[in-house]
Amino acid sequence: MSKRPELPPAEILTAYALTTAELSAIDVGNINRTFKVTHDGQQFILQWLNPIFGPEVHLDIEAVTAHLAAKGLPTPRLVRNQTGALWSTTGSGEVWRLLTFIDGDILSAGANAHQCQAGGELLGRFHRALCDLQHTFANVRPGVHDTARHLRHLANVLKTHTEHRAFGDVQPMAQAILASAALLPPLGDLPARVVHGDPKLNNIVFTARGTAHCFIDLDTLSVMTIPVELGDAFRSWCNPTGEDQVAAHFELELFAAAINGYAEATRDFVTAAEITQIPTGVETIALELAARFCADALTESYFGWNRQAFGSASAHNLHRARCQYNLSQSIRAQRAALRNCVERAFHT
Ligand code: GN1
Ligand code: MG
């Protein structure tokens, strides 16, 4: 885990002519560090970029958001610094960027069926709008949803971190995840599409009326398959308790709403092979995230964590692993029902 800065340094505020701005920290997101900035009656988002992303990610964000905006989709846009650059680097190498602020509600959990349907439509419109984008991504994170790679990593840290103080607690969880993952059906070869890459619930801005307005948190924009992208969305939106409750379960009614919304916007371009694999995508990504959290319970090197609620990064990540694992088991128990929802939504 790179040290997440407490405050933006003075040189960053100078770079954006924000030295007299009002700042408040926004405690959402496990990776970057986010501030709301108010200056001359205007609001912005100022963010420290976690070094897991190269600064060239801003070239991707600029290309994708320009394309979305040209098609009339609302989206945050990068605000250039005083020298006209898309991002700013401090003397010590920290990367920061400024974005336009999108007003609305961010939900951490508990989306209702209406919001899930609206989220599905938004994700569908987002994918549709990017179908014709011609862009070579500058920031590539190979294997980011290579589930087999995440599982190998977990198996590996179980061997290398036997001395970790929490090893005795983490090992049984890891073994349950690995055993369950061995029963995952393969996703097969599917078309690569331009996607958001992290469409979890708190990366959507909703309006007061429950309309899904736009996606935020665009560092993960990339080329991926639809079932992986939807798996990441639905494992989040359809778990009413959120990522920090062991009572995690997958709510079919929310899934039906979300997939109906998605189908509405995409029925004419997603292929039968992609549609068929959506339920497996959901189960796979829930279990993959369980594996990622579980490995981090031993390496304590990646996810930010809640210092108020937990004594260590290890404790929080073990807890998160258990929650996602429980969610994955709930998805598995409802495989056939998920398939029915998908078939009904796409009229297959
Ligand atoms: C991270 O940054 P944030 O909180 O939106 C993570 C996602 C996980 C998610 C789990 C780049 O997303 O992959 O699904 O936490 N982002 C990255 O909450 O690893
Ligand atoms: Mg986020």
Side-chain angles (χ1 to χ4, degrees):
M1 206 174 333
S2 289
K3 182 108 182 64
R4 303 214 293 173
E6 286 305 318
L7 279 173
E11 58 188 301
I12 289 300
L13 298 175
T14 305
Y16 289 102
L18 290 172
T19 46
T20 59
E22 237 178 76
L23 297 181
S24 58
I26 299 184
D27 235 352
V28 177
N30 300 328
I31 305 290
N32 295 329
R33 176 100 172 115
T34 307
F35 298 87
K36 184 168 168 187
V37 177
T38 310
H39 184 62
D40 270 352
Q42 266 191 294
Q43 294 174 317
F44 301 94
I45 290 292
L46 183 62
Q47 278 185 314
W48 168 78
L49 183 75
N50 190 301
I52 61 162
F53 305 109
E56 323 75 53
V57 72
H58 297 105
L59 304 175
D60 301 331
I61 294 175
E62 183 59 11
V64 171
T65 58
H67 198 80
L68 293 172
K71 294 198 172 185
L73 270 77
T75 176
R77 296 298 305 271
L78 289 165
V79 179
R80 291 173 188 266
N81 68 16
Q82 293 290 92
T83 69
L86 291 172
W87 69 90
S88 302
T89 310
T90 65
S92 62
E94 283 178 12
V95 176
W96 290 75
R97 50 43 192 330
L98 190 68
L99 291 152
T100 54
F101 176 74
I102 310 272
D103 205 4
D105 299 329
I106 306 278
L107 309 177
S108 58
N112 60 33
H114 174 70
Q115 289 158 331
C116 286
Q117 157 118 20
E121 276 172 32
L122 176 69
L123 191 53
R125 286 199 301 277
F126 188 94
H127 291 162
R128 162 184 293 285
L130 296 174
C131 276
D132 63 345
L133 173 69
Q134 298 295 323
H135 174 70
T136 306
F137 281 83
N139 180 63
V140 181
R141 296 192 303 137
V144 61
H145 280 301
D146 178 347
T147 305
R149 182 183 73 95
H150 288 294
L151 296 169
R152 277 198 306 277
H153 176 65
L154 176 58
N156 201 34
V157 298
L158 272 187
K159 292 195 192 113
T160 53
H161 287 65
T162 51
E163 302 301 316
H164 191 285
R165 64 195 182 287
F167 186 79
D169 295 330
V170 176
Q171 188 192 34
M173 186 73 261
Q175 277 166 348
I177 293 168
L178 292 169
S180 184
L183 305 174
L184 281 171
L187 279 166
D189 273 341
L190 294 169
R193 300 198 182 259
V194 178
V195 297
H196 179 280
D198 186 12
K200 69 184 212 186
L201 186 60
N202 71 12
N203 286 335
I204 301 177
V205 178
F206 287 94
T207 65
R209 280 178 293 112
T211 313
H213 187 60
C214 72
F215 280 101
I216 55 171
D217 210 358
L218 303 171
D219 301 304
T220 51
L221 289 166
S222 58
V223 171
M224 241 179 240
T225 68
I226 294 277
V228 165
E229 168 91 332
L230 296 191
D232 212 0
F234 300 153
R235 63 104 202 140
S236 162
W237 311 356
C238 309
N239 168 13
T241 58
E243 287 179 15
D244 267 324
Q245 299 297 325
V246 282
H249 69 281
F250 192 79
E251 192 72 49
L252 209 59
E253 184 202 337
L254 299 178
F255 178 64
I259 196 68
N260 283 342
Y262 186 76
E264 213 47 66
T266 60
R267 196 172 281 121
D268 60 329
F269 72 87
V270 291
T271 62
E274 289 172 303
I275 294 167
T276 310
Q277 292 293 30
I278 292 168
T280 301
V282 184
E283 189 178 323
T284 303
I285 298 302
L287 210 45
E288 178 189 283
L289 186 55
R292 293 170 64 198
F293 285 143
C294 196
D296 213 42
L298 291 177
T299 60
E300 301 184 86
S301 60
Y302 189 83
F303 291 102
W305 56 285
N306 183 342
R307 287 169 167 74
Q308 274 81 56
F310 293 89
S312 65
S314 175
H316 192 174
N317 283 305
L318 175 57
H319 177 73
R320 285 165 162 160
R322 181 159 295 122
C323 301
Q324 282 303 305
Y325 173 79
N326 290 349
L327 176 68
S328 73
Q329 300 308 295
S330 167
I331 298 165
R332 175 160 298 174
Q334 301 181 80
R335 269 183 188 171
L338 266 76
R339 272 201 300 276
N340 283 339
C341 288
V342 172
E343 283 164 14
R344 269 200 301 276
F346 283 95
H347 312 312
T348 53

